[in-house]
Amino acid sequence: MAPMRRTLIITDKPSNSRVISPHWQDRFPRDVITLFHTPPMGSFRFRLPRDLPISNVPIVMDPVLERRPPEGPSPSGTAYFDGDFGALAREADHIVCATDFDPAGCRNFLDLMAQYQIDTPLSDISWLALTALDPASFTAGIEKGRRADDPELALMAAFGQARQHFDYLYALNALPVFGIALRAVGIEPRGAFSFLSKYTLQLLLLLSQGDHGPLKWGDIIKLMSRNSLGSPISRGEIVYWLRQSGCLAQEGHDKPERYILSDRGLRLASLMHKDCYDPHLNSRLRSWGDSWPASKPAIERYIRTFFGKEKRYLFSRI
């Protein structure tokens, strides 16, 4: 009789864990399965220095990551992302990567392996390459027998790594620079309003150009979609940020509500250098992902130019 094998399956959705586990068990009945759930945004977040002086901008450095704190109880039978992945991975006889086959999912998996310094060769790790969430796809992923050293995983992860590098540098510079701009228009950069995200900025500048209002909430979401701003999940949050910060104002009292940029929103937009509006940002991110890590200098050059111009322009306006 074959010995029992301790198998660690890594997923980024509890619902996936519940479906994958019985299919894997059917195929490998002597495996003792442990499930580890890493959230879609990753098991790690950026460690950003606080109170960076504006004189340091533009700042370029490699991302520094820290473990993301737990946000809720573990799903039953799952070691949630506050568990000790390192210990689980080192105790396992076999590891299975069952994160989504997308830039975030593939990068999340490689982040776990690197941050916890797991020396298991990628060629020994099963990779399900999940592109759909139905049982047939799970079964097909198991039967194909792909491994985590597959070039397709590395290529997909490269998109996530390029985006991670850009997002870290953007946040590192945006905190001190846009903190000054936010205070100048009466927004205290704390809590939910401490950070002006790249797509919030792009929407603000898009609305400040031409005649885009007054618009219903849904029309703003459609405008974002047409201009590839944010994801379907984040678009509502971006509009909500502008509304709650006072940058969007309701026009009149009719139902449904219609919104325009407020005086505060227009003032904030006026503090942004004209080149802060970048309708080609998404295509740049895709191009950088295609050529990562060779694209790293191009990302850093973009950040230096973007925030160097904005810093000089901002000081000329306030």
Side-chain angles (χ1 to χ4, degrees), residues 137-181:
S137 297
F138 290 131
T139 301
I142 293 170
E143 294 300 327
K144 286 178 181 177
R146 301 175 79 172
R147 298 289 168 162
D149 62 345
D150 192 302
E152 287 193 47
L153 187 151
L155 181 63
M156 189 63 73
F159 283 90
Q161 290 161 341
R163 175 68 67 95
Q164 183 183 68
H165 191 59
F166 176 86
D167 286 348
Y168 183 79
L169 293 181
Y170 178 91
L172 197 62
N173 288 272
L175 284 169
V177 174
F178 295 148
I180 291 174

Side-chain angles (χ1 to χ4, degrees), residues 11-211:
T11 73
D12 44 20
K13 295 182 181 69
S15 57
N16 288 10
S17 301
R18 290 190 292 270
V19 177
I20 292 169
S21 182
H23 286 282
W24 187 272
Q25 198 77 77
D26 286 344
R27 179 65 178 81
F28 301 102
R30 293 195 58 78
D31 278 12
V32 178
I33 296 173
T34 298
L35 300 169
F36 185 88
H37 167 224
T38 179
M41 76 286 291
S43 290
F44 303 92
R45 64 183 182 183
F46 296 148
R47 179 184 296 163
L48 296 166
R50 296 298 175 182
D51 302 319
L52 283 170
I54 190 70
S55 59
N56 286 14
V57 174
I59 310 162
V60 170
M61 59 187 290
D62 288 338
V64 179
L65 304 180
E66 63 184 10
R67 290 176 62 184
R68 191 180 299 278
E71 297 178 355
S74 302
S76 177
T78 304
Y80 207 41
F81 62 94
D82 58 326
D84 188 349
F85 176 80
L88 293 171
R90 279 182 269 273
E91 290 170 0
D93 300 311
H94 188 60
I95 298 173
V96 180
C97 173
T99 57
D100 287 349
F101 184 21
D102 60 21
C106 293
R107 192 211 70 227
N108 289 348
F109 166 71
L110 294 182
D111 277 350
L112 280 169
M113 300 296 289
Q115 292 294 317
Y116 282 95
Q117 300 179 334
I118 306 303
D119 57 10
T120 303
L122 294 179
S123 58
D124 291 344
I125 296 173
S126 294
W127 177 45
L128 301 190
L130 296 174
T131 56
L133 305 180
D134 57 280
S137 297
F138 290 131
T139 301
I142 293 170
E143 294 300 327
K144 286 178 181 177
R146 301 175 79 172
R147 298 289 168 162
D149 62 345
D150 192 302
E152 287 193 47
L153 187 151
L155 181 63
M156 189 63 73
F159 283 90
Q161 290 161 341
R163 175 68 67 95
Q164 183 183 68
H165 191 59
F166 176 86
D167 286 348
Y168 183 79
L169 293 181
Y170 178 91
L172 197 62
N173 288 272
L175 284 169
V177 174
F178 295 148
I180 291 174
L182 291 170
R183 285 193 182 94
V185 300
I187 302 172
E188 187 59 31
R190 293 179 182 172
F193 304 111
S194 62
F195 182 64
L196 185 62
S197 78
K198 61 182 180 291
Y199 289 128
T200 306
L201 173 63
Q202 294 305 309
L203 177 59
L204 173 76
L205 296 177
L206 179 62
L207 291 173
S208 72
Q209 300 173 4
D211 182 15

